[in-house]
Amino acid sequence: MRKKGIVIAIDGPVGSGKSTTAREVARRLGYLYLDTGAMYRALGLGLLRAGISPDEGETAVRMAREARIDLRLHPRGQQTLLDGEDVSGAIRTAEASDAASRVAAHPEVREVLVGLQQEIGRDGGIVLEGRDTGTVVFPDAELKIFLVADVAERARRRFLEMAGEAGDFSTLIEQIRARDARDEATQLKMGEWPTADAVRLDTTGLSLEEQVDRVVRLALERGGGSVPEGGRGEGPV
């Protein structure tokens, strides 16, 4: 089967701009968009609702295999469903974010969800963002982007994104540092992170338009097609 385009994998620590950048890149190229982190967030949310710690590996694996986690296109972006319920808003809380990081530390959970992600992106023409995208999910992706930004800037973005639910700003900075350490330790167990072939892009002083422009230019240079008229794509998942 002829591929629909290249695979673009966007990774980086929390608050580096992965989601907003990936969505806009996909829109401009007319590609699919897949937020892999939403799967982990949905699973973490399911565990929390059941009163189960995300650190309970055996239970987390069982739920990963049994729960129905669906990703669908919505006019406002990607819609995440957990067992038929739209949890797109619920998975964006600080608690769900922390649970996602903890549940992702279980290798068997990652194996289950990675399989789903590979199935979605097997024909190419997709922008994936989140952990493992360029190291495990699609190690042969034609374009790998690793976004970074200093911790204060990332905390500011998260604070604004969470609309006051983040609590004290200094506490948020410490939470991000702790998550960085946990995520890096989890990733490094699986190999180099970021990979040597990833393009490192510091977004600290960049506007969204500037960082998207840079990624789109790299995609076009690597055979990613052309930008549709008006720069708009359907991007269904």
Side-chain angles (χ1 to χ4, degrees), residues 113-194:
L113 298 187
V114 164
L116 295 175
Q117 295 154 15
Q118 290 173 331
E119 179 66 21
I120 291 172
R122 65 179 179 176
D123 295 330
I126 187 169
V127 182
L128 303 96
E129 61 101 346
R131 296 289 179 269
D132 290 350
T133 52
T135 54
V136 177
V137 186
F138 286 100
D140 297 325
E142 289 88 344
L143 176 59
K144 301 177 186 180
I145 302 292
F146 193 82
L147 300 180
V148 296
D150 66 49
V151 68
E153 173 62 15
R154 291 192 284 129
R156 184 188 69 82
R157 293 173 184 173
R158 290 291 289 169
F159 191 82
L160 294 175
E161 177 186 322
M162 298 170 74
E165 294 182 12
D168 180 70
F169 185 72
S170 60
T171 300
L172 180 58
I173 288 180
E174 293 308 311
Q175 290 174 340
I176 287 177
R177 284 175 173 157
R179 176 167 175 177
D180 283 351
R182 184 168 62 239
D183 289 349
E184 184 172 359
T186 299
Q187 287 288 155
L188 290 176
K189 291 177 182 177
M190 303 180 183
E192 186 180 12
W193 188 65

Side-chain angles (χ1 to χ4, degrees), residues 46-224:
L47 288 166
L48 292 178
R49 286 180 169 181
I52 301 168
S53 169
D55 299 319
E56 291 290 335
E58 186 174 335
T59 306
V61 174
R62 184 169 64 252
M63 182 173 285
R65 290 173 176 156
E66 296 175 354
R68 289 188 297 109
I69 301 175
D70 299 313
L71 303 176
R72 300 178 183 175
L73 179 68
H74 188 275
R76 293 190 298 274
Q78 179 178 277
Q79 186 180 46
T80 305
L81 288 83
L82 175 63
D83 293 327
E85 177 191 352
D86 183 359
V87 293
S88 305
I91 63 173
R92 297 300 166 185
T93 64
E95 292 77 14
S97 178
D98 181 69
S101 178
R102 290 160 61 189
V103 79
H106 306 302
E108 294 88 351
V109 168
R110 300 174 84 89
E111 183 178 346
V112 172
L113 298 187
V114 164
L116 295 175
Q117 295 154 15
Q118 290 173 331
E119 179 66 21
I120 291 172
R122 65 179 179 176
D123 295 330
I126 187 169
V127 182
L128 303 96
E129 61 101 346
R131 296 289 179 269
D132 290 350
T133 52
T135 54
V136 177
V137 186
F138 286 100
D140 297 325
E142 289 88 344
L143 176 59
K144 301 177 186 180
I145 302 292
F146 193 82
L147 300 180
V148 296
D150 66 49
V151 68
E153 173 62 15
R154 291 192 284 129
R156 184 188 69 82
R157 293 173 184 173
R158 290 291 289 169
F159 191 82
L160 294 175
E161 177 186 322
M162 298 170 74
E165 294 182 12
D168 180 70
F169 185 72
S170 60
T171 300
L172 180 58
I173 288 180
E174 293 308 311
Q175 290 174 340
I176 287 177
R177 284 175 173 157
R179 176 167 175 177
D180 283 351
R182 184 168 62 239
D183 289 349
E184 184 172 359
T186 299
Q187 287 288 155
L188 290 176
K189 291 177 182 177
M190 303 180 183
E192 186 180 12
W193 188 65
T195 57
D197 57 350
V199 178
R200 190 180 182 91
L201 177 59
D202 191 334
T203 68
T204 303
L206 298 181
S207 67
L208 173 60
E209 183 177 3
E210 289 172 327
Q211 58 201 51
V212 169
D213 283 344
R214 295 191 186 187
V215 177
V216 169
R217 185 169 63 250
L218 287 167
L220 297 179
E221 289 173 355
R222 301 189 184 197

